[in-house]
Amino acid sequence: GTLPDAIVRYERSYLTAFRACSRRPNASSRRALTERMRSVDVTFIADYHTLGQAQRTALRLVQDVHRAGEPWVLGLEFVPSHRQAELDAYQSGVLDADTFLQKIRYREEWGFPWGNYAPLLDWARRNGVRLLALNRPRELPFWRERGDGDDLRERDRWAAGILTDLYSRIGQGERRPKVVVLYGELDRKSTRLNSSHM
């Protein structure tokens, strides 16, 4: 089918920004990539929701950059921010996976294969990496700042606000966490199949 106008606008804006910053992309070694990730506060990893290799690559990267005793956070688009308490309960072991998925309405709200995401969350639990819910709750009305109703831009603003809040709450003398965000990349296949929840 045809893509919604908001998706087309989002993709056009994304491609313009991407082309502007990547005129001459250079190959990077895995070591250079992980060193760069360790040197910045926030790293976004593109999540092609329909491609399991995307989630496996994210897991390998966070395993490479993480060091025991350092404050790390794994930001997740697939969990709506108003479900942070459920995510915390899952991370602490209070909720099992089935109950967690039921409480956040995973199959209805997200629907991509849980088996692709579960290893990331299991690794974070075992390694003391905090999980952070980033997605904008569907229940909220859309902002109409420009009147375009572009829910993907609103999703991005929402996640940026959560990350900003995370850093604004750091007390004096506290170590700044390194944040790795697994976040939706515009993928025409997933957009066509799942545009109702974006």
Side-chain angles (χ1 to χ4, degrees), residues 65-103:
V65 300
H66 177 261
R67 301 290 180 269
E70 294 177 343
W72 284 85
V73 175
L74 179 59
L76 302 167
E77 179 194 2
F78 76 81
V79 183
S81 62
H82 70 302
R83 299 294 183 203
Q84 183 66 50
E86 289 87 344
L87 185 57
D88 292 343
Y90 174 72
Q91 184 165 24
S92 68
V94 171
L95 293 180
D96 63 27
D98 288 337
T99 305
F100 167 66
L101 295 176
Q102 194 172 37
K103 286 187 173 286

Side-chain angles (χ1 to χ4, degrees), residues 5-50:
D5 289 342
I7 298 291
V8 172
R9 284 191 303 274
Y10 185 87
E11 181 180 31
R12 192 178 307 128
S13 173
Y14 166 83
L15 289 173
T16 299
F18 184 77
R19 286 183 191 118
C21 70
S22 63
R23 298 259 183 243
R24 302 187 120 247
N26 297 319
S28 178
S29 70
R30 189 170 177 171
R31 180 177 176 177
L33 177 60
T34 56
E35 285 176 6
R36 181 68 175 140
M37 289 173 68
R38 290 183 58 74
S39 73
V40 298
D41 285 338
V42 180
T43 301
F44 279 78
I45 299 176
D47 180 19
Y48 288 87
H49 310 320
T50 58

Side-chain angles (χ1 to χ4, degrees), residues 45-179:
I45 299 176
D47 180 19
Y48 288 87
H49 310 320
T50 58
L51 182 63
Q53 185 60 45
Q55 295 86 38
R56 289 189 295 276
T57 297
L59 176 57
R60 282 194 294 275
L61 287 171
V62 296
Q63 288 170 329
D64 285 353
V65 300
H66 177 261
R67 301 290 180 269
E70 294 177 343
W72 284 85
V73 175
L74 179 59
L76 302 167
E77 179 194 2
F78 76 81
V79 183
S81 62
H82 70 302
R83 299 294 183 203
Q84 183 66 50
E86 289 87 344
L87 185 57
D88 292 343
Y90 174 72
Q91 184 165 24
S92 68
V94 171
L95 293 180
D96 63 27
D98 288 337
T99 305
F100 167 66
L101 295 176
Q102 194 172 37
K103 286 187 173 286
I104 68 167
R105 298 176 36 86
Y106 182 86
R107 285 170 184 80
E108 298 84 4
E109 301 273 336
W110 194 249
F112 296 101
W114 169 245
N116 294 345
Y117 292 94
L120 267 164
L121 275 69
D122 291 343
W123 176 86
R125 287 168 72 172
R126 287 191 312 273
N127 289 281
V129 172
R130 180 177 172 213
L131 298 171
L132 183 64
L134 290 177
N135 212 353
R136 187 175 186 279
R138 276 201 221 179
E139 296 83 358
L140 294 176
F142 290 119
W143 300 311
R144 302 287 184 196
E145 291 176 8
R146 291 180 318 280
D148 63 9
D150 190 342
D151 54 340
L152 287 173
R153 281 193 180 100
E154 292 178 20
R155 173 204 68 165
D156 294 352
R157 285 187 200 111
W158 189 266
I162 292 170
L163 293 171
T164 300
D165 289 348
L166 171 76
Y167 282 105
S168 70
R169 288 192 292 266
I170 296 171
Q172 196 163 13
E174 281 185 69
R175 292 172 64 189
R176 289 174 66 85
K178 300 290 185 180
V179 180

